[in-house]
Amino acid sequence: MTRPVTVPAGVSGAGEPRPHPAWLPPQAWRPLGVRRVVVHGDGLLVDTVFAEVAQACAAHGGRVDRTGTDGASAVDPVDLVLALRDPGPLPSAVPAAVTAGPTPDGPLGDEGFLLTRVDDVTVVLADAPAGLLYGLFHLVRLGEAAHTGDHPARAHRPALRRRMLDHWDNVAVHPVMGQVERGYAGGSIFWRDGGPRGDRDRLRAYARLLAACGVNAISVNNVNVGLTEARLLTDRLDDVVDLADLLRPYGIRVHLSVTFAAPVVLGGLPTADPLDDGVRDWWESTTRRVYARIPDFGGYVVKADSEGQPGPFSYGRDHADGANLLAAALAPHGAVVHWRAFVYDHRQDWRDRTTDRARAAYDHFAPLDGRFADNVVLQVKFGPVDFQPREPVSPVIAAMPATRVAVELQVTQEYTGQQWHACYLAPWWHEVLAFRPWGPAERSVTDVLADVPGPGPHRGGDLVAVANVGDDPFWCGHPLAQANLYAFGRLAWDPGLAADAILDEWIDLTFPASTVGDPALVRETLHAVLDDSWRTYERYTAPLGVGFMVNPAGHYGPGVDGYEYSRWGTYHFADRDGVGVDRTCATGTGFAGQYPPPWSQVYESLERCPDELLLFFHHVPYSHVLHSGVTVIQHIYDTHFAGVAEVVAMRDRWTRLAGVIDQAVYDRVVERFDEQLRCATEWRDQVNTYFFRKSGVPDARGRRIH
């Protein structure tokens, strides 16, 4: 079963339809746009702040002025001040109580801001232009609440320094993957048919959306770097310069995926050996040329020795050798190389039960800890396999105390319905970030990334995600998939935010009360549809963490045995007696032992292993009784029937919004729910039938299984 095709938007340029405003519709700016505003400070990002405020005031009747170096303003009285604290005296409109008080919790940093409201004046202060930009978008999130009552001074700072999206966009159309690999929202917003797309207005709109949720870095091309894409580093650098110029006014730094073989394929050298002096010279001189054109270039992203991509193994070197080569070229410019840890043998023998893809990242990288340069960021997928609907958190995150680590999420819904299924991912990501690798009293994954004191890694890190954006009018294909993109940015800024609170923000911004017929019904419906949608998807797909019962042709829809005898190393080992992968140290692959205590013991133990991960760690009989009190086989039947029933309920709830919200949004979601129900039904019937025929055990409830 293949997924439906998303029809891309029309011809690039003036004739192309305007994209959906997502979480920045004009009405969201009204609470700010009716005010009398002063903007104080200099710099490109302050120019952006002023332009945004001026546009809002022009639309909604407010007034805005930009102060001179003496802090004087033509606007008087004032409702709102957005000011840098450095350039000269603050505007006189800032209440004395604000200027006299210290900043809560110390300096604001490059991206932080202070928000307060005193004497009927709302004030946003920042030490750097990026902070003022993020403060502006925070005001938009708050809406009218930012301009009423008193607000004690509160400092807002991002938990993580780099909050990054990786686009898997191809410059030249790939014969198999198309313009965007794992893209489910049409074509690329950057590239088309071998060259730049040229839709500058859409790129500016995208930069606004990202800045408004907290993203500050983008890699603009696929990690699987083809020959055309490789040339972005050299003779096609102008294309990257243009993108950087468009994104810079919103604080977005451009990164580039590069091929490790670049010295050979671009430089004509006979080798790409990371210890070769000529190779080092080539990378250093090439990188200098990049920075001569893009002074704020963020750095390189590399997929090496993985799924056919070239890497240091070809020269008898290891990943530290390879990563440090690029890090040395980037270090003088203050930049980083994101070196992906997605490295495994993709030509496995399914007959060999001792080989385990889940082990691969740890086995490759844990022995190298302490050898990576300071500006190497090891980019680790959040789970040990490949973005399945349920996986344990990767043990690599806890295994690299002397290495900077980035956790990689997947906003694009490769294995969660490909943006045809409503699947709100923030609850899942929140679980990942809150996971405590050393036990409940110790540090969380967030603490590792934010360099909070405690056991384990102490280098700090980033949060990175594979993007889900395309040239579809709704950006993400499914209008509700926009919530995932928004949630990633917000969690990267503040990983402590609750998933339902983020959803509330997105609803308020995307469906302003003034634009819908019944705001309370909209909020109630969207929560009912999305809050549990990830678990609903999990219920009607692969059970108990086993993963990969998906159709290999496109990763969409059921294919229970699709990977079972393949080279990719993704097996469930179902037979007439039971199902699951034995990853214990006692009798299996030993993967459970890659975790520190207490999780190594928890996952090793059949009695203590959480139900939702049971089949990831253990091969058990169908009669095994879960902690929930039901057998494995009955759990499979029950959850698959329940999942489809939940999709029916989600679709029915959505119909209550007919005539209440924008018709185009309503119709697109109806289309998606029809497909989700068809696909979920197919999942239910194939998975239940497969296990009924394998086990011979009937459904205790007597429901129809084919």
Side-chain angles (χ1 to χ4, degrees):
M1 179 172 59
T2 58
R3 66 183 174 88
V5 175
T6 297
V7 178
V11 177
S12 177
E16 187 161 314
R18 292 177 61 87
H20 183 257
W23 50 88
L24 286 181
Q27 296 84 352
W29 290 86
R30 188 181 186 282
L32 186 150
V34 299
R35 259 73 195 191
R36 297 160 296 187
V37 186
V38 170
V39 176
H40 175 71
D42 297 308
L44 177 64
L45 271 60
V46 181
D47 295 343
T48 300
V49 169
F50 181 78
E52 291 283 355
V53 174
Q55 179 175 302
C57 289
H60 299 289
R63 294 179 59 198
V64 61
D65 186 33
R66 193 162 180 177
T67 63
T69 55
D70 60 356
S73 168
V75 173
D76 188 38
V78 169
D79 303 308
L80 170 64
V81 178
L82 295 124
L84 289 185
R85 296 198 286 195
D86 253 0
L90 287 170
S92 56
V94 176
V98 176
T99 58
T103 300
D105 304 321
L108 294 171
D110 291 339
E111 296 181 308
F113 60 91
L114 179 76
L115 173 65
T116 187
R117 180 172 167 80
V118 179
D119 298 335
D120 296 327
V121 179
T122 300
V123 179
V124 175
L125 299 179
D127 292 338
L132 209 60
L133 181 71
Y134 292 124
L136 168 69
F137 286 120
H138 186 65
L139 291 176
V140 177
R141 276 195 298 274
L142 291 175
E144 196 62 39
H147 308 282
T148 56
D150 288 335
H151 292 267
R154 181 185 171 191
H156 299 257
R157 304 174 187 86
L160 307 178
R161 177 179 179 182
R162 193 172 292 101
R163 308 169 299 278
M164 183 171 174
L165 287 174
D166 283 0
H167 276 258
W168 286 0
D169 296 22
N170 299 312
V171 179
V173 177
H174 188 277
V176 177
M177 295 299 179
Q179 191 77 70
V180 183
E181 180 174 342
R182 307 302 177 209
Y184 309 110
S188 171
I189 63 172
F190 301 124
W191 317 107
R192 175 175 284 172
D193 297 330
R197 180 182 177 87
D199 190 345
R200 303 174 73 84
D201 290 341
R202 189 176 185 111
L203 287 173
R204 290 190 189 96
Y206 185 44
R208 291 179 77 230
L209 290 174
L210 296 187
C213 67
V215 172
N216 66 356
I218 291 180
S219 178
V220 296
N221 65 302
N222 195 352
V223 292
N224 294 316
V225 182
L227 182 57
T228 302
E229 293 74 26
R231 292 169 55 208
L232 294 174
L233 184 62
T234 54
D235 57 304
R236 300 205 48 175
L237 183 60
D238 283 349
D239 297 338
V240 185
V241 171
D242 192 44
L243 291 176
D245 289 345
L246 288 167
L247 300 173
R248 186 176 294 112
Y250 287 91
I252 311 291
R253 294 181 72 175
V254 164
H255 296 239
L256 198 61
S257 291
V258 297
T259 174
F260 189 79
V264 176
V265 300
L266 300 175
L269 298 184
T271 180
D273 184 346
L275 301 189
D276 183 271
D277 289 341
V279 170
R280 289 181 176 274
D281 290 344
W282 186 89
W283 277 108
E284 290 173 3
S285 61
T286 299
T287 302
R288 282 195 298 271
R289 286 193 291 272
V290 172
Y291 279 92
R293 303 292 310 285
I294 312 173
D296 58 351
F297 181 69
Y300 299 138
V301 179
V302 182
K303 177 180 179 179
D305 288 313
S306 176
E307 299 182 326
Q309 291 294 308
F313 287 178
S314 298
Y315 307 97
R317 314 304 184 190
D318 59 32
H319 286 284
D321 295 325
N324 291 343
L325 165 71
L326 276 71
L330 291 162
H333 311 282
V336 297
V337 54
H338 284 87
W339 190 270
R340 296 183 83 233
F342 185 53
V343 178
Y344 68 99
D345 176 9
H346 69 290
R347 293 183 175 88
Q348 294 183 22
D349 184 348
W350 59 269
R351 302 167 187 83
D352 181 2
R353 298 285 281 262
T354 65
T355 302
D356 185 2
R357 175 170 164 176
R359 290 187 56 103
Y362 184 103
D363 287 345
H364 278 295
F365 288 96
L368 301 178
D369 186 45
R371 288 193 47 217
F372 290 99
D374 288 345
N375 61 324
V376 172
V377 182
L378 187 64
Q379 188 164 312
V380 182
K381 288 191 177 187
F382 81 89
V385 183
D386 194 8
F387 299 130
Q388 295 304 290
R390 176 76 71 171
E391 294 185 40
V393 172
S394 172
V396 178
I397 298 168
M400 309 292 291
T403 304
R404 293 174 66 182
V405 171
V407 170
E408 180 179 296
L409 307 175
Q410 194 176 42
V411 183
T412 193
Q413 292 173 233
E414 179 180 358
Y415 293 104
T416 51
Q418 300 194 355
Q419 289 149 224
W420 281 89
H421 298 220
C423 187
Y424 181 49
L425 298 172
W428 184 20
W429 297 337
H430 193 277
E431 284 188 14
V432 170
L433 294 169
F435 180 75
R436 297 181 180 275
W438 298 275
E442 302 296 346
R443 296 194 306 159
S444 67
V445 171
T446 292
D447 295 335
V448 172
L449 299 182
D451 198 16
V452 173
H458 278 286
R459 302 300 302 278
D462 309 334
L463 197 63
V464 180
V466 184
N468 67 340
V469 166
D471 67 0
D472 183 88
F474 293 101
W475 296 100
C476 304
H478 199 314
L480 303 187
Q482 293 177 7
N484 289 328
L485 181 60
Y486 179 82
F488 167 73
R490 294 293 288 131
L491 281 171
W493 179 281
D494 183 357
L497 289 172
D500 58 348
I502 296 173
L503 188 58
D504 273 331
E505 289 182 3
W506 178 77
I507 292 168
D508 288 345
L509 290 167
T510 307
F511 301 93
S514 62
T515 68
V516 299
D518 186 339
L521 179 62
V522 171
R523 179 182 301 279
E524 174 191 337
T525 301
L526 285 167
H527 274 286
V529 165
L530 291 177
D531 279 350
D532 204 41
S533 55
W534 158 53
R535 294 179 181 88
T536 292
Y537 186 88
E538 182 184 19
R539 288 178 189 115
Y540 62 74
T541 53
L544 300 171
V546 74
F548 271 104
M549 291 181 172
V550 69
N551 190 334
H555 296 174
Y556 184 81
V560 184
D561 270 344
Y563 280 96
E564 196 59 17
Y565 307 102
S566 76
R567 62 189 179 124
W568 296 99
T570 50
Y571 312 123
H572 55 70
F573 297 133
D575 55 29
R576 67 179 185 176
D577 299 317
V579 60
V581 186
D582 185 351
R583 292 189 164 103
T584 66
C585 296
T587 57
T589 69
F591 170 73
Q594 292 184 341
Y595 289 87
W599 290 107
S600 54
Q601 293 98 328
V602 168
Y603 294 146
E604 179 79 11
S605 167
L606 183 60
E607 292 73 29
R608 297 176 65 193
C609 185
D611 283 352
E612 64 270 17
L613 291 172
L614 179 70
L615 301 186
F616 193 95
F617 285 99
H618 298 274
H619 186 90
V620 299
Y622 297 112
S623 58
H624 176 81
V625 178
L626 301 170
H627 296 117
S628 64
V630 302
T631 62
V632 166
I633 190 65
Q634 194 58 44
H635 173 92
I636 291 172
Y637 297 153
D638 289 349
T639 53
H640 283 78
F641 280 111
V644 173
E646 288 162 12
V647 175
V648 171
M650 291 160 67
R651 186 184 64 168
D652 290 347
R653 282 185 177 275
W654 182 258
T655 62
R656 300 165 65 191
L657 298 185
V660 177
I661 64 170
D662 176 76
Q663 191 66 37
V665 173
Y666 176 82
D667 290 343
R668 175 61 74 88
V669 175
V670 167
E671 170 199 40
R672 303 278 151 151
F673 269 132
D674 288 345
E675 166 57 20
Q676 183 172 359
L677 179 57
R678 183 205 66 77
C679 189
T681 303
E682 189 75 11
W683 269 103
R684 177 199 67 193
D685 291 346
Q686 287 201 28
V687 172
N688 281 350
T689 297
Y690 177 92
F691 283 104
F692 172 62
R693 294 179 181 179
K694 281 281 187 184
S695 69
V697 179
D699 173 29
R701 300 173 183 267
R703 293 162 292 197
R704 183 182 182 187
I705 296 177
H706 301 275

